[in-house]
Amino acid sequence: MHTHTNFSGHAYSTLRENISAAKEKGLELLGISDHAPKMLGTCSDFYFVNFKVIPRDGYEVKLIMGVELNILDYSGSTDLPAQFLKNTDYAIASLHSPCIDPGSLEENTAAIIGAMRNPHVVIIGHPDNPKFPVDFDRIARAAKDNKVLLEINNSSYAPNAPRKGSRETVKLLLKACQKYNAEIIMGSDAHIDFDVGNHQFSQEVIAENNFPEELVINSSAEKFFDYVKYRKSLAPK
């Protein structure tokens, strides 16, 4: 559910190239989540207006169109207004240093929990980023209470990872998720088609921490859509 096309500005494959990669790898479901407007170099909010023209079926892999929102403040505000979000199938909300300065543990925790109140947000992206320390117990409990998924982000654990130290912080995240029975989702965070569906490092950290498979949502597209349906049901009509 976490992939980027060249519309994100710092990714290098087209929509069709990502779809082809997903099909070649035998994926059942592919989500496109290009960066929302406050990220440097990405598309304008108008990009998210016309998703109705993109077929969701017919590619031998089901396609859904989302967005990776940027959390902008410690209240959890994000950078795509509701009139644009209603055109998306789902949203990821993430803390990115180009869009918000890392705060205290309390501030970062409040920012993520605040973003969970946005009914379009289904996933919190890379919540174990060491640049943004958080209270994992509070995050996991809030994710469970709000029926939001916490992401295990494959790119965070790669040898050349941009979020160095995540292999250590993910241990605390997974422990808290298991404590509160909060479900997680593996995301590739692919910025090129070769990485679509690549969960190698996520699978390693899940295995290393003996995390129960039944709490990993990727086993079922239906489980994911249950989250989407519930979260969207909270949005004003």
Side-chain angles (χ1 to χ4, degrees):
M1 296 302 96
H2 193 163
T3 68
H4 298 276
T5 73
N6 50 4
F7 280 101
S8 282
H10 59 279
Y12 304 97
S13 299
T14 65
L15 174 63
R16 290 301 291 259
E17 287 169 339
N18 278 8
I19 292 169
S20 294
K23 184 172 68 174
E24 289 169 7
K25 295 180 181 184
L27 299 186
E28 178 184 355
L29 178 65
L30 171 67
I32 302 294
S33 54
D34 281 312
H35 283 287
K38 290 296 183 181
M39 178 59 71
L40 297 174
T42 194
C43 48
S44 73
D45 51 11
F46 205 65
Y47 165 81
F48 301 96
V49 167
N50 204 30
F51 280 175
K52 64 181 182 294
V53 306
I54 301 173
R56 304 303 198 264
D57 297 295
Y59 302 108
E60 297 180 49
V61 56
K62 185 172 181 62
L63 176 70
I64 59 175
M65 298 298 298
V67 57
E68 185 176 13
L69 299 169
N70 299 290
I71 300 173
L72 301 179
D73 57 38
Y74 304 126
S75 298
S77 302
T78 57
D79 55 341
L80 201 62
Q83 65 264 35
F84 295 103
L85 280 171
K86 69 181 182 181
N87 298 312
T88 66
D89 296 320
Y90 70 105
I92 302 169
S94 306
L95 290 164
H96 293 118
S97 52
C99 303
I100 183 173
D101 291 330
S104 66
L105 183 144
E106 180 63 33
E107 288 171 331
N108 299 331
T109 301
I112 288 179
I113 292 175
M116 290 182 190
R117 300 190 184 104
N118 183 328
H120 299 280
V121 171
V122 181
I123 300 169
I124 296 297
H126 42 75
D128 52 1
N129 184 356
K131 288 184 180 178
F132 292 90
V134 297
D135 183 327
F136 290 113
D137 261 42
R138 288 182 59 197
I139 295 295
R141 187 168 64 246
K144 178 67 175 179
D145 291 345
N146 289 281
K147 200 172 173 64
V148 172
L149 293 162
L150 298 176
E151 184 192 45
I152 301 302
N153 185 295
N154 192 72
S155 72
S156 295
Y157 318 121
N160 59 346
R163 293 176 284 273
K164 295 189 183 303
S166 295
R167 275 209 180 229
E168 293 305 310
T169 52
V170 72
K171 297 176 182 178
L172 302 174
L173 173 62
L174 291 174
K175 183 178 179 181
C177 288
Q178 192 166 357
K179 177 180 178 180
Y180 293 102
N181 217 35
E183 291 184 301
I184 64 168
I185 184 167
M186 293 187 295
S188 67
D189 201 358
H191 283 66
I192 192 165
D193 57 345
F194 296 107
D195 271 336
V196 170
N198 180 9
H199 297 151
Q200 174 190 347
F201 303 115
S202 294
Q203 289 172 329
E204 287 176 3
V205 299
I206 286 170
E208 288 167 3
N209 290 278
N210 298 310
F211 191 76
E213 287 187 18
E214 59 267 23
L215 292 180
V216 183
I217 203 77
N218 301 73
S219 60
S220 168
E222 287 184 9
K223 286 183 179 180
F224 178 74
F225 283 120
D226 284 345
Y227 274 82
V228 173
K229 183 178 179 180
Y230 173 75
R231 295 295 299 167
K232 288 283 190 179
S233 75
L234 303 177
K237 305 302 182 200

